[in-house]
Amino acid sequence: MTKPRVLVIINWEGGGPRRLATWLEEEGIEPVVVEGKDGLPGSLDGFAGMVLLGGGLMPDAFDKAPWLRPERELAQQAIDADFPTLGICLGGQLIADVAGGEVRENFGPPERGSYMITTTDAGLADPVLGQLGSGAPMIQNHRDMITRLPDGAQLLASSELIENQAFRIGLRVRGLQFHPESSVENIRNWSPERQAAADDYPAILARAEENDEANTKAAEGMIRAFAAEVRGA
């Protein structure tokens, strides 16, 4: 029996799906991981789902990342078809921008490390975001912000500092500001330079370690629920 295939797009050198790929594989899904810089498929034919990963770019930074043009086209195809899609950080911002929302560069309060994500009533009822329950700690690392959701989008989750943490367009296209694929291990592996640039790296790491069990449970639940949606598409 052929496994459902999920297109996973890497937008940043050194980035990757991490534990997300493992959970998809355990659910009988084949993640097809491609780097945007190496070229993207022209359509979603042959795939049952899509994941757009993060990166330190704006959604229209075509000079730095020309592959964002075809990635935006894939996002539009997903929106038009209500195709099971998960946009993470830049991926979520790209979906919001393509659908008519607003993303601002270097805007809003920074969130680095583990922060509590609180679901809205719509988020609690959502098959994927509902895996967070009323809320769960998730890893954050962003400098840009979704300041306005597209018309008709449903707000699914917020944090104390950032309102638009998760949203849904239609029934199966979701954008996240946070990183379910990242864990405390990623924070432990920050480079010395990155640690030095953080306001208080020891506190960031300690908070992530304290939240690790709850974070892993919620993130795993989300990705397994997404996989179920892919299988049912």
Side-chain angles (χ1 to χ4, degrees), residues 76-85 168-173 233:
Q76 186 64 64
Q77 290 177 31
I79 292 167
D80 292 343
D82 200 24
F83 187 77
T85 301
R168 189 182 71 214
I169 299 173
L171 295 177
R172 298 187 295 190
V173 177

Side-chain angles (χ1 to χ4, degrees):
M1 184 176 178
T2 304
K3 293 181 178 180
R5 302 164 77 231
V6 167
L7 176 64
V8 181
I9 299 177
I10 295 176
N11 285 301
W12 195 251
E13 187 175 356
R18 297 168 175 154
R19 59 186 182 174
L20 181 151
T22 300
W23 291 329
L24 288 180
E25 289 167 349
E26 289 175 352
E27 290 293 326
I29 306 293
E30 179 187 352
V32 179
V33 182
V34 299
E35 296 206 28
K37 65 181 178 62
D38 293 334
L40 299 177
S43 78
L44 295 170
D45 292 347
F47 297 102
M50 179 169 65
V51 176
L52 311 178
L53 295 174
L57 300 162
M58 283 289 283
D60 58 355
F62 306 130
D63 54 338
K64 297 178 182 178
W67 67 85
L68 289 176
R69 289 189 188 277
E71 187 169 337
R72 292 171 68 93
E73 292 174 4
L74 290 172
Q76 186 64 64
Q77 290 177 31
I79 292 167
D80 292 343
D82 200 24
F83 187 77
T85 301
L86 203 57
I88 296 172
C89 198
L90 168 62
Q93 294 168 358
L94 186 145
I95 290 170
D97 191 54
V98 166
E102 180 184 68
V103 181
R104 295 185 64 177
E105 187 173 14
N106 292 322
F107 183 83
E111 290 181 319
R112 301 285 186 269
S114 182
Y115 286 80
M116 181 61 67
I117 303 298
T118 303
T119 53
T120 63
D121 289 344
L124 192 58
D126 181 83
V128 174
L129 267 293
Q131 302 301 313
L132 275 63
S134 59
M138 303 301 289
I139 301 298
Q140 301 262 26
N141 186 23
H142 61 88
R143 62 184 183 186
D144 309 321
M145 193 170 89
I146 301 169
T147 51
R148 179 171 51 79
L149 294 181
D151 291 344
Q154 280 195 301
L155 178 65
L156 301 180
S158 303
S159 65
E160 183 178 358
L161 300 178
I162 306 294
E163 180 180 13
N164 297 322
Q165 281 286 353
F167 65 94
R168 189 182 71 214
I169 299 173
L171 295 177
R172 298 187 295 190
V173 177
R174 297 176 182 85
L176 315 175
Q177 183 66 80
F178 55 87
H179 289 266
E181 84 284 12
S182 294
S183 68
V184 65
E185 195 61 32
N186 305 115
I187 295 177
R188 290 190 185 115
N189 291 331
W190 280 10
S191 67
E193 294 77 17
R194 190 174 181 186
Q195 292 181 29
D199 289 339
D200 191 351
Y201 175 73
I204 291 173
L205 178 59
R207 186 170 67 243
E209 289 177 333
E210 179 181 355
N211 292 338
D212 182 46
E213 183 176 355
N215 166 264
T216 299
K217 179 181 178 181
E220 182 175 355
M222 282 184 59
I223 302 309
R224 293 191 188 279
F226 174 69
E229 197 165 82
V230 168
R231 289 196 304 268

